[in-house]
Amino acid sequence: MASTDWKLTFGARAADLPSTPYVGRHFIDGKWRDSGDSQTMARRSPAHDALVGQYAKGTADDARDAVVAARQAFDDGRWSRLSGKQRHDYLCQVAERIERDHETIAVQEVLESGKPITQARAEVSGAAALWRYAATLAWNVRGDSYNALGDDMLGLVMREPIGVVSIITPWNFPFIIAAQKLPFALAAGCTVALKPSELTSGTTVMLAGLLDEVGLPDGVVNVVLGEGDPVGAVLTHSDDVDMVSFTGSTQVGKEAVAASAGTLKKVSLELGGKNPQVIFPDADLEAAADAVVFGVYFNGGQCCNSSSRLLVHRDIAEEFTQRVVELSRQVPFGDPLDSQARVGAIISEAHERKIQGYVEQAVTQGATLRLGGRALQAPNGEGRYFEPTVVSGVSPDMEIARDEVFGPVLSALTFDTLDEAISITNDCLYGLSAGIWSRSIDNCLAYARRARAGTVWVNTWMDGYPELPFGGFKQSGLGRELGHFGLDEFTEQKTVQLHMGARTNWWVPQA
Ligand code: NAD
């Protein structure tokens, strides 16, 4: 496929690149500091190969200091014993400042992750909304009462903050994923040690700056920068941590579970996905084709919710796949700082090679490359991109149909019956999300009930609301984020039994 077919939006964006990199340090116990050994790590933008970030690279001791600060802040009650209103007010102030610094945060997110600027702006707005929503939950930490246990007994079920939470986030949505976790943990009364991905530290440091600015008590949120080993490992192993809230790959999620076994701390996990969109002939096929293109190319396919599997009914398979190919060819990709771009850069060279490997392997196994399939560089030789790619004739046993490719690559499979579509959907390690397109309520409901996935979209794709819980079945995760369920994850339940009046003795001594 000649690359001249593509809608490329590479422009000379040099004027938009920062002349000096953003510099970030750890924020521990209310103070900004360098790493104990003074090491730093650099981040170059995947789209321009420019130096855009320079960060402290944490040691195990830095991570331990972050946990100790969170432990002290939790144990002395400086946060957990505030009223819901007080916590609510802090969270709202953070939301206001996110809105104030909206553009600065969005640009840094683009520079480090390679995602398109229009998308980054939407994510920063979404994050502010999550902080506001979680603030309302701080008013609503509540339990249950049992008033029919007999005349002399009242039962109370109280929710208390679980304690110190380690939050570990990935590179693909650094700012909004932190907002799916941190304000919910804070609303519940927890204290936090937070580690962003070493590839995208910048916007989390900016967030720490906002927490500092609103005067959050010292030690309530501690941000420690650095790699999985040693920083992430300390945050998952430490005896002083009560819960780990992790978003990232299924492989590292399993390591977090193993690390937590030593202290049996709670672990909540948001992991990978291999999400299908199922298309029936009676659907609104234009809307479905647009949703398939959106679902697979959003964030360059580097998205846990990527709809990387297209399951299309055999009767319309050729015509529908061709429509998707045509739309894919028109998707503008290129410099993520250009507001025309819908698909930006690929996070790293190693990741680009992995994507290419899956496509080549599928072709070797007999699949047909309908579009794309190659890594690309910008005309000026800078930056890493991958062509929007459609592979058809994929069978359910091929790696490209089973593994999380995590790139702009669509695998098209066919089915004949609803049962077969459900069976292919569920024949998968993952169970994060799934979608169905049909005008038949019977098809839609049967699919929604039988798909083994945490979210099922019906005649739509990837809508999200702060009120609705999000999470995965099977190896896509444990627990749920968002909604009041998201608050509950950061709490323990305590049962209190209150006895009134004289108690009947268990044993009465004989005179
Ligand atoms: P990753 O698992 O490589 O890294 C995630 C985080 O874990 C990073 O901060 C990393 O430094 C840290 N880490 C690495 N090794 C560690 C260890 N041994 N102990 C503790 N922490 C460690 O994932 P990634 O490449 O950054 O992100 C992509 C993955 O995230 C994909 O699989 C994607 O599906 C998943 N993801 C899931 C969701 C969801 O909500 N389900 C959302 C976004 C991303």
Side-chain angles (χ1 to χ4, degrees):
M1 191 62 54
S3 58
T4 47
D5 290 348
W6 299 106
K7 277 223 171 319
L8 299 165
T9 67
F10 299 110
R13 311 302 304 178
D16 298 328
L17 293 174
S19 50
T20 53
Y22 179 66
V23 176
R25 300 192 292 163
H26 310 297
F27 181 63
I28 297 174
D29 205 15
K31 290 163 206 67
W32 295 92
R33 55 181 246 194
D34 294 321
S35 294
D37 62 3
S38 305
Q39 291 271 319
T40 59
M41 51 191 187
R43 178 64 183 152
R44 302 189 76 82
S45 62
H48 320 92
D49 201 25
L51 182 65
V52 292
Q54 189 79 44
Y55 300 106
K57 183 178 179 188
T59 62
D61 280 342
D62 296 321
R64 277 191 278 273
D65 288 350
V67 170
V68 167
R71 183 81 261 163
Q72 278 167 358
F74 185 77
D75 289 347
D76 70 15
R78 72 185 81 162
W79 183 250
S80 62
R81 286 158 69 181
L82 294 187
S83 67
K85 178 186 183 313
Q86 288 169 306
R87 292 205 288 264
H88 162 275
D89 292 350
Y90 276 112
L91 300 188
C92 286
Q93 286 180 50
V94 177
E96 278 161 23
R97 281 158 178 81
I98 292 172
E99 283 156 358
R100 183 197 66 194
D101 294 353
H102 183 272
E103 189 64 10
T104 312
I105 298 169
V107 168
Q108 193 65 24
E109 199 80 322
V110 171
L111 293 175
E112 294 189 13
S113 71
K115 68 178 65 217
I117 182 70
T118 49
Q119 187 193 315
R121 288 183 183 130
E123 286 172 21
V124 177
S125 301
L130 285 168
W131 278 83
R132 286 194 188 287
Y133 173 76
T136 67
L137 297 177
W139 296 92
N140 281 294
V141 182
R142 66 201 164 144
D144 216 345
S145 65
Y146 289 79
N147 199 23
L149 301 173
D151 235 13
D152 58 354
M153 185 61 74
L154 175 66
L156 299 179
V157 182
M158 306 195 305
R159 284 202 177 265
E160 296 188 351
I162 197 165
V164 174
V165 181
S166 289
I167 294 180
I168 299 175
T169 56
W171 50 260
N172 57 349
F173 296 95
F175 197 71
I176 197 161
I177 285 179
Q180 290 181 198
K181 298 172 183 290
L182 181 56
F184 291 80
L186 293 175
C190 298
T191 61
V192 172
L194 164 57
K195 187 197 100 60
S197 166
E198 58 276 24
L199 299 176
T200 52
S201 310
T203 56
T204 306
V205 176
M206 289 178 175
L207 178 64
L210 303 184
L211 301 175
D212 191 14
E213 189 183 324
V214 305
L216 204 73
D218 292 351
V220 171
V221 176
N222 305 275
V223 171
V224 57
L225 310 172
E227 297 186 339
D229 182 15
V231 175
V234 170
L235 297 195
T236 50
H237 279 90
S238 170
D239 292 357
D240 280 328
V241 170
D242 299 296
M243 173 177 172
V244 176
S245 175
F246 173 87
T247 298
S249 61
T250 293
Q251 178 54 38
V252 177
K254 288 179 182 175
E255 288 174 32
V257 171
S260 69
T263 57
L264 289 182
K265 56 178 71 73
K266 177 172 176 177
V267 182
S268 78
L269 301 171
E270 297 289 339
L271 308 175
K274 188 73 191 175
N275 315 297
Q277 292 204 60
V278 173
I279 320 293
F280 277 86
D282 67 344
D284 176 343
L285 295 177
E286 266 309 298
D290 178 72
V292 166
V293 168
F294 161 58
V296 71
Y297 303 129
F298 177 74
N299 216 47
Q302 302 164 112
C303 173
C304 57
N305 265 330
S306 170
S307 59
S308 51
R309 285 195 289 168
L310 164 64
L311 305 192
V312 56
H313 193 281
R314 193 177 306 279
D315 289 352
I316 54 162
E318 185 42 42
E319 180 195 344
F320 188 81
T321 307
Q322 191 49 39
R323 181 70 188 130
V324 168
V325 168
E326 280 161 21
L327 285 176
S328 301
R329 204 192 297 277
Q330 292 167 28
V331 170
F333 74 103
D335 188 333
L337 284 171
D338 185 330
S339 56
Q340 295 300 310
R342 283 288 171 280
V343 183
I346 299 296
I347 192 75
S348 66
E349 257 177 65
H351 189 57
E352 199 173 62
R353 279 195 298 276
K354 182 180 146 194
I355 298 170
Q356 180 101 57
Y358 274 112
V359 176
E360 285 169 4
Q361 183 190 39
V363 171
T364 313
Q365 290 170 338
T368 307
L369 182 61
R370 303 284 293 262
L371 184 74
R374 289 180 315 182
L376 269 187
Q377 273 195 321
N380 62 2
E382 290 166 358
R384 292 178 291 273
Y385 298 86
F386 202 89
E387 295 172 335
T389 296
V390 180
V391 184
S392 67
V394 172
S395 62
D397 56 333
M398 292 180 186
E399 284 80 354
I400 202 169
R402 308 188 75 79
D403 296 356
E404 193 184 39
V405 175
F406 228 54
V409 176
L410 181 69
S411 296
L413 297 88
T414 53
F415 69 91
D416 289 301
T417 63
L418 174 67
D419 279 351
E420 194 189 355
I422 292 168
S423 156
I424 297 172
T425 294
N426 292 339
D427 177 21
C428 182
L429 283 182
Y430 300 106
L432 190 60
S433 56
I436 176 166
W437 290 84
S438 170
R439 288 197 170 94
S440 152
I441 187 83
D442 293 348
N443 279 346
C444 292
L445 264 182
Y447 184 82
R449 291 173 123 170
R450 289 167 58 195
R452 304 257 303 141
T455 297
V456 178
W457 283 292
V458 177
N459 294 321
T460 185
W461 186 258
M462 222 177 346
D463 303 296
Y465 298 88
E467 299 91 321
L468 298 182
F470 178 68
F473 282 31
K474 300 193 272 183
Q475 294 193 26
S476 286
L478 286 176
R480 292 293 178 268
E481 292 186 341
L482 309 182
H484 64 84
F485 314 89
L487 178 85
D488 291 349
E489 288 281 343
F490 294 107
T491 64
E492 277 281 17
Q493 290 190 39
K494 181 179 281 177
T495 303
V496 177
Q497 300 179 22
L498 291 152
H499 184 265
M500 289 149 284
R503 180 174 170 279
T504 309
N505 282 358
W506 176 61
W507 180 65
V508 180
Q510 303 303 305

